[in-house]
Amino acid sequence: MIWRTHMCGEPRKELVGERLTFAGWVDRRRDHGGLVFIDLRDHTGVVQLVINPERAPDPAAVAREVRNEFVLRAEGEVVPRAPENVNPNLPTGEIELAVDGLEILSRATPLPFQLDEENVDETLRLRYRWLDLRRERMQRNLRLSHVVIRSIRSTMDELGFVDVWTPSMTKGTPEGARDFLVPVRLQPGRFFALAQSPQLFKQLCMIGGLDRYYQIATCWRDEDLRADRQFEFRQLDLEMAFVDREAVLDVLERCVAGAFEAAGREPPQRPFPRLSYEDAIRRFGSDKPDLRYDLEIRDATDVTRGSQFGVFASAPVVRFLVAPKAFSRTELARLEEVAKEWGWKGLAYLVRDESGALRWPIAKFLSDSETAALASDPGTTLLFAAADEQTVTRVLGGLRTHLGRELELTGAGDVFHWVVDFPLFERDETTGHWTFLHHPFTAPTPGHDDLVESDPGGALSQHYDLIWNGWELGSGSIRIHRADLQRAVFRTMGIADEDAREKFGFLLDALAMGAPPHGGFAMGIYRFIALLAGEPNIREVIAFPKVSSGSDPLSGAPTPMPDGVLAELGVRLLEQME
Ligand code: ASP
């Protein structure tokens, strides 16, 4: 039994006269009284079947029963289409199959949505994902995903990386999210954490002499789901011994360029620009700025120190953006609403209309020197934030992103860049304690080791982020390879030596037994593929994602568990949840 001799998208007019067999799904069926036409589809395309009751009475009877998404096997002769029926938009549009044998291999119930329907509700798409997967968009995205991962694997292989599998069930790895916990039947009351990343294992691989490790690793993080976040996702995880920062960045740039080429796209220019964290925050108000457009934050603190406009004169910091548009009153009111989301209380702005004249309330308060210092082109609006530095940065950074989208400043190009020289620690807003910016295993910048305890806020780190068009693709760092320095970092974070031993004793032991200098990186594969595919969220490039509530509409998971099962695991639910 031969299911098919050719794929549906294959036949061309060169095959006219051949007897071929196709198998696939019914994309469309048209009954013209006598003749029945069926578009038969597989992932390669569509071939038109013609069933003529005079030529093939039995297939004609079968064809009358056929509905969309039935699975058929059709056998017949390739014939040219009449000139008026040629479809130039279809690769198989010059021929059709004159059917001599037709078999229904599988039937389909009425469908919850048609495959060519647009704007189908996402939960419905995910509930019936097997139908959604048949559509061109998902086929294209999942196949692109395969091409990208294959290319990454081959780059890694060429560069001498070894694929090592690391456990999913482990002890918590601090990557800044909550852990998913797994109760253990054999040891009631004890839990594994699902790895937020293979971080410590990959470092142990370096200490274990593997030299270059990589993995397309699954990671689990219990955090709110968003366009670029799922509970579980995969990342290109890698680690290298005896390297400096530049060597790690070079590997990533090669992976990105290779993946672009594999996807048939012009690769971005290498090396990618480097931007310091300080510059990124000051100039763009974000540690992952979209650099497809300039729109830099400018400073007016000095020029407004003696301003008649009290808000400016008294604010610790006054900064502004020059939007390339003279906004109307209504547009400004809308912007004000947007800016409020980032905590902007009052909006100060200056509109310079097309004739160059200054409009707006604060204009009259400004001295000549202020007006001169705030000169801008006609047809622009200066949007000010006057407050403490953090608020100003947050508000103008948010507004910059908003304006980039709203005024379509992004253009078509792609900009990759690195953000480097992050601070090693930041203050935890709720506890006031020092905490890590990346993770606690990140090494300080050379020469900053002593600052870890003497001036934590002044210590810079060897952490780096890769940004593509304003999306953070991934992070990495050169790691601490000395146990004493690792203990000092824990102490600064308020983890006493005994606690550090209890939580990370195995790492401290390993660092004390011949640890090479090492560093690495992890890139979110689905963020990368979504951007490559031009998709707005990673669910479009994942076969079976979860929706934002954290549920899987397809299987209905998560589901409650019977008491007996929970009891066996040593778990009892709080009453209000039962
Ligand atoms: N483990 C880090 C993460 O998953 C990446 C790294 O530092 O290599 O974000």
Side-chain angles (χ1 to χ4, degrees):
M1 163 70 158
I2 295 170
W3 292 112
R4 57 189 180 191
T5 58
H6 287 69
M7 304 302 289
C8 296
E10 269 180 333
R12 300 288 184 272
K13 64 174 188 295
E14 290 69 35
L15 289 174
V16 164
E18 302 269 331
R19 299 202 63 79
L20 306 184
T21 305
F22 296 93
W25 286 264
V26 174
D27 206 47
R28 219 147 58 99
R29 169 184 169 280
R30 297 177 307 281
D31 197 333
H32 286 198
L35 292 182
V36 175
F37 293 90
I38 292 173
D39 289 343
L40 197 67
R41 184 196 72 238
D42 64 23
H43 73 271
T44 64
V46 160
V47 62
Q48 177 164 286
L49 312 178
V50 194
I51 301 110
N52 183 340
E54 283 167 22
R55 177 179 175 131
D58 290 348
V62 172
R64 271 195 292 279
E65 285 180 52
V66 162
R67 296 291 174 268
N68 280 2
E69 298 310 309
F70 275 31
V71 180
L72 306 183
R73 176 170 169 272
E75 180 266 321
E77 182 189 342
V78 178
V79 296
R81 291 197 195 184
E84 65 278 16
N85 294 335
V86 166
N87 181 348
N89 301 321
L90 203 65
T92 60
E94 287 182 293
I95 57 98
E96 56 197 11
L97 189 80
V99 172
D100 294 310
L102 189 66
E103 197 185 335
I104 295 176
L105 303 179
S106 173
R107 290 166 190 266
T109 57
L111 304 172
F113 55 85
Q114 295 303 316
L115 266 67
D116 59 1
E117 211 173 312
E118 282 175 27
N119 303 322
V120 180
D121 172 67
E122 194 187 16
T123 307
L124 195 66
R125 284 177 59 201
L126 292 175
R127 164 73 181 84
Y128 298 97
R129 192 61 152 178
W130 57 86
L131 289 178
D132 194 44
L133 289 179
R134 289 180 203 162
R135 310 213 282 178
E136 206 212 321
R137 178 182 190 178
M138 289 307 299
Q139 287 283 325
R140 196 178 51 233
N141 289 350
L142 294 186
R143 285 167 202 282
L144 174 69
S145 170
H146 164 72
V147 166
V148 167
I149 291 172
R150 186 178 57 192
S151 146
I152 288 175
R153 286 192 183 285
S154 96
T155 308
M156 290 284 101
D157 190 46
E158 278 160 26
L159 296 176
F161 284 80
V162 182
D163 181 348
V164 180
W165 182 75
T166 56
S168 318
M169 289 160 64
T170 176
K171 207 168 170 174
T173 6
E175 294 283 359
R178 287 193 187 85
D179 288 325
F180 280 104
L181 299 178
V182 182
V184 182
R185 177 182 55 84
L186 295 175
Q187 298 180 51
R190 291 180 170 246
F191 297 83
F192 283 108
L194 292 181
Q196 289 189 38
S197 86
Q199 183 61 37
L200 294 178
F201 291 107
K202 67 176 171 175
Q203 290 191 237
L204 297 180
C205 284
M206 295 303 98
I207 299 170
L210 263 308
D211 204 68
R212 290 188 165 199
Y213 141 98
Y214 93 102
Q215 194 181 173
I216 306 292
T218 303
C219 305
W220 290 266
R221 298 185 189 178
D222 183 359
E223 51 192 357
D224 292 342
L225 277 60
R226 294 198 310 230
D228 59 356
R229 273 193 191 160
Q230 285 276 304
F231 286 156
E232 45 185 336
F233 57 91
R234 289 193 297 172
Q235 57 185 26
L236 162 63
D237 195 51
L238 61 88
E239 199 72 11
M240 305 161 76
F242 303 109
V243 283
D244 60 8
R245 179 182 85 190
E246 289 305 310
V248 182
L249 303 195
D250 182 62
V251 166
L252 264 298
E253 293 187 5
R254 282 169 195 263
C255 278
V256 168
F260 263 68
E261 272 164 20
R265 296 260 301 267
E266 178 81 19
Q269 265 229 313
R270 290 191 287 142
F272 303 161
R274 275 85 166 133
L275 184 69
S276 75
Y277 172 83
E278 196 188 335
D279 270 359
I281 296 289
R282 189 176 37 81
R283 292 166 56 193
F284 306 107
S286 164
D287 60 1
K288 46 176 188 305
D290 188 338
L291 296 188
R292 282 174 297 176
Y293 51 93
D294 285 340
L295 202 62
E296 276 197 33
I297 297 174
R298 305 208 201 155
D299 195 86
T301 314
D302 286 343
V303 290
T304 54
R305 278 311 70 177
S307 183
Q308 295 282 304
F309 186 49
V311 176
F312 281 1
S314 61
V317 172
V318 182
R319 292 193 184 145
F320 63 101
L321 288 168
V322 184
K325 184 173 184 193
F327 287 121
S328 68
R329 199 184 278 265
T330 337
E331 286 168 329
L332 284 165
R334 244 199 340 257
L335 276 182
E336 199 159 353
E337 283 309 307
V338 173
K340 274 186 197 151
E341 288 170 27
W342 297 293
W344 200 354
K345 294 194 199 74
L347 181 63
Y349 33 75
L350 269 177
V351 183
R352 196 175 291 273
D353 65 22
E354 300 300 338
S355 70
L358 274 183
R359 283 196 269 131
W360 236 259
I362 68 165
K364 61 175 179 288
F365 295 111
L366 301 180
S367 64
D368 288 349
S369 64
E370 282 174 284
T371 311
L374 300 174
S376 65
D377 291 337
T380 53
T381 304
L382 275 58
L383 297 151
F384 292 89
D388 60 279
E389 176 140 18
Q390 243 191 340
T391 311
V392 166
T393 299
R394 191 178 56 239
V395 168
L396 292 182
L399 207 51
R400 178 179 183 274
T401 309
H402 175 81
L403 290 172
R405 231 186 351 250
E406 192 81 352
L407 302 179
E408 293 175 7
L409 303 178
T410 51
D414 287 302
V415 181
F416 282 85
H417 68 92
W418 296 100
V419 176
V420 298
D421 299 335
F422 281 78
L424 187 58
F425 299 107
E426 64 182 348
R427 288 264 184 215
D428 182 320
E429 277 177 22
T430 39
T431 62
H433 293 153
W434 289 113
T435 181
F436 54 83
L437 222 87
H438 182 39
H439 52 51
F441 318 111
T442 300
T445 295
H448 287 212
D449 291 8
D450 290 344
L451 301 180
V452 166
E453 290 190 278
S454 65
D455 176 17
L460 291 183
S461 77
Q462 300 195 61
H463 156 200
Y464 31 78
D465 277 358
L466 176 58
I467 315 296
W468 179 6
N469 295 350
W471 276 37
E472 184 196 311
L473 284 186
S475 299
S477 57
I478 299 298
R479 326 296 183 187
I480 295 168
H481 69 278
R482 278 184 8 232
D484 61 328
L485 186 56
Q486 186 64 74
R487 272 193 295 268
V489 165
F490 287 144
R491 276 196 300 273
T492 296
M493 288 169 42
I495 306 176
D497 285 356
E498 315 78 72
D499 289 349
R501 172 128 288 286
E502 204 215 302
K503 281 196 179 108
F504 303 111
F506 64 102
L507 173 70
L508 294 168
D509 287 346
L511 290 178
M513 294 186 196
H518 59 286
F521 195 80
M523 176 169 86
I525 297 266
Y526 294 114
R527 288 186 186 178
F528 183 59
I529 295 166
L531 280 167
L532 209 51
E535 290 291 2
N537 72 63
I538 61 172
R539 297 186 299 280
E540 298 297 350
V541 297
I542 295 177
F544 302 105
K546 299 186 177 44
V547 289
S548 55
S549 61
S551 302
D552 168 16
L554 189 150
S555 66
T559 50
M561 284 293 147
D563 288 346
V565 174
L566 294 178
E568 206 177 16
L569 295 169
V571 172
R572 197 168 59 223
L573 296 181
L574 293 176
E575 249 168 64
Q576 62 267 33
M577 288 187 178
E578 279 172 353

